[in-house]
Amino acid sequence: MTKIGLEIHCQLTNLESKLFCSCKANYREFEINENICPICMGLPGSLPRLNQEAVKKATIIAMALNCTTPDKIAFFRKNYFYPDLPKNFQITQLNIYGDTSIGGTGSVTIGDKKIRITRIQLEEDPGRLIYEGSSSKNLITLVDYNRAGTPLVEIVTEPDFESPKQVRKFLNILSDLLENLGVSDPSLDGAMRADANVSIEGGKKVEIKNIGSFHDLEKAVHFEITRQESLHSRDIQIIQETRHWDDKRKITVSSRSKEEDLDYRYFLEGDIPWIIIDPEIQKELKSKMPESISSKKERYISKFNIPAQVADVLSSDKFYSDLFEESHTKDNAKEIANIITTDLMGLVDTREKREESKITATHLRDLSDSIQSGKISRNSAKNALYEIVKTGKDLSQVISKLDLGNVSNESELSEIIQEVISEEPQAVKEAKSNPQTINYLVGKVMQKTKGKADPKLTLDLLKKQIE
Ligand SMILES: [Zn+2]
């Protein structure tokens, strides 16, 4: 049986400062090597100060993943030399003196599959290496320490996944969950990264590192399973090793033999004492946990009668569910859910578009009111939405600017219907013998009015006029 386990690194992007100093956690807005200080550069004599908010945010993640939360935690030094690590060790966590990491064992259920969480660690991110030129012929490697020391949560799973598809599904669920908790913005470049370990029946465990995106992770795992099965079928031994994902060639390549924990010479970080986590703080964090995605979904279905599929899409994305929460009432909930999932999601489908979008809860409320009162058609609402997202103008302004108001004037509509009747004698004949085909004529009227005819009135008048 194929076994896949994951180590997911997730940046706590919503924090103010780094994990052990007051440099900004949002390193992305700085020029290279401007977001640094003696602490995150590991200069002699500097001492780390633990960011209390990071401990709280990581605890919330542990709680949401049903992990145990210990009453005291410890930090360790993981020693290794690499240019992106200015101290020559990373401050991280390890469960060698009992469960002293921020989260203990837990689990996440995907459908009927339970994925066990081994532990959750709070640790610092290293800096970033920037290669000049191609990766095979690097003449120069530059290093940017702005990211060094930013707060990272590592989520380690048991090897419970059996297919690359399951892995991808889990990562999507996890990324929605972290966004919903308000601890991270997974759409930021590099905010979520993962390593995978893969083994097939009778083979050794192979670790894959350096995978840049979830999409590539699925591919890398798929490639690795195929590679191992091919070796196995030819009676070639699969060795325990670390392999890197080469995203240009879309293959894994052997990089070095796998380090054991011993190689890192872990020892307690003497500059940070054991941290006692007050049960009162844990209780408070638990009580302030945002509503889970699954409970939101259930509420949308049971309270507003929103179809399960729509409720699923709406609840799993914080941006849209926040808009929905702000704009809906009991009477318009279904209409607003419909506008968001069928039209808005298509218009605002990337991070950049969301940031630029001018849509507000008031716009959504006005749109649904206008549809429900027959002032504009659904089709016109879609055109209005496009303009609103772009300009942020009031709906009334948009309706008059684009002339989107419904044609609900009876005589005006009757004239148009008469035109259609004379142009479509065959369809009229069919509609008389088979009333269901009348929709074709309604469609023609809609075409002539550019979708602005009041559909109910059109149907009533059509029926009368073809009799
Ligand atoms: Zn710093």
Side-chain angles (χ1 to χ4, degrees), residues 50-222:
L50 179 62
N51 180 339
Q52 188 179 340
E53 276 307 304
V55 175
K56 286 185 179 171
K57 293 259 190 306
T59 302
I60 289 175
I61 296 175
M63 288 172 171
L65 296 177
N66 309 304
C67 295
T68 55
T69 47
D71 41 18
K72 59 180 182 178
I73 58 169
F75 286 89
F76 289 81
R77 289 186 182 185
K78 180 181 182 181
N79 297 280
Y80 64 98
F81 173 75
Y82 206 63
D84 61 6
L85 197 71
K87 295 199 289 276
N88 288 347
F89 61 84
Q90 180 195 30
I91 304 180
T92 181
Q93 297 193 293
L94 188 73
N95 288 347
I96 46 171
Y97 299 131
D99 284 351
T100 57
S101 291
I102 198 88
T105 53
S107 66
V108 178
T109 310
I110 329 172
D112 48 10
K113 176 88 189 155
K114 191 172 173 185
I115 305 297
R116 291 168 297 158
I117 308 288
T118 317
R119 67 176 180 279
I120 298 179
Q121 295 165 204
L122 182 58
E123 60 188 29
E124 54 180 344
D125 213 354
R128 248 167 18 98
L129 294 182
I130 303 157
Y131 302 103
E132 296 273 293
S134 75
S135 60
S136 55
K137 282 187 192 164
N138 286 319
L139 296 175
I140 302 172
T141 303
L142 301 167
V143 61
D144 174 12
Y145 290 115
N146 284 348
R147 194 179 73 181
T150 51
L152 202 62
V153 162
E154 180 173 332
I155 301 165
V156 183
T157 80
E158 292 291 316
D160 287 344
F161 301 94
E162 288 158 32
S163 69
K165 233 188 194 150
Q166 260 176 13
V167 167
R168 181 75 186 267
K169 206 167 171 191
F170 172 81
L171 290 173
N172 286 340
I173 289 174
L174 183 66
S175 122
D176 289 342
L177 179 142
L178 294 171
E179 193 177 17
N180 187 55
L181 289 175
V183 296
S184 182
D185 180 350
S187 68
L188 281 169
D189 187 35
M192 276 184 93
R193 305 167 328 244
D195 299 337
N197 53 69
V198 179
S199 64
I200 61 164
E201 185 99 50
K204 292 260 168 52
K205 191 166 85 175
V206 174
E207 195 166 354
I208 323 169
K209 285 189 177 286
N210 197 31
I211 312 169
S213 70
F214 288 176
H215 183 65
D216 271 7
L217 182 78
E218 191 183 357
K219 278 191 181 159
V221 170
H222 191 267

Side-chain angles (χ1 to χ4, degrees), residues 18 21 23 36-37 40:
K18 290 187 179 179
C21 63
C23 295
I36 54 173
C37 74
C40 55

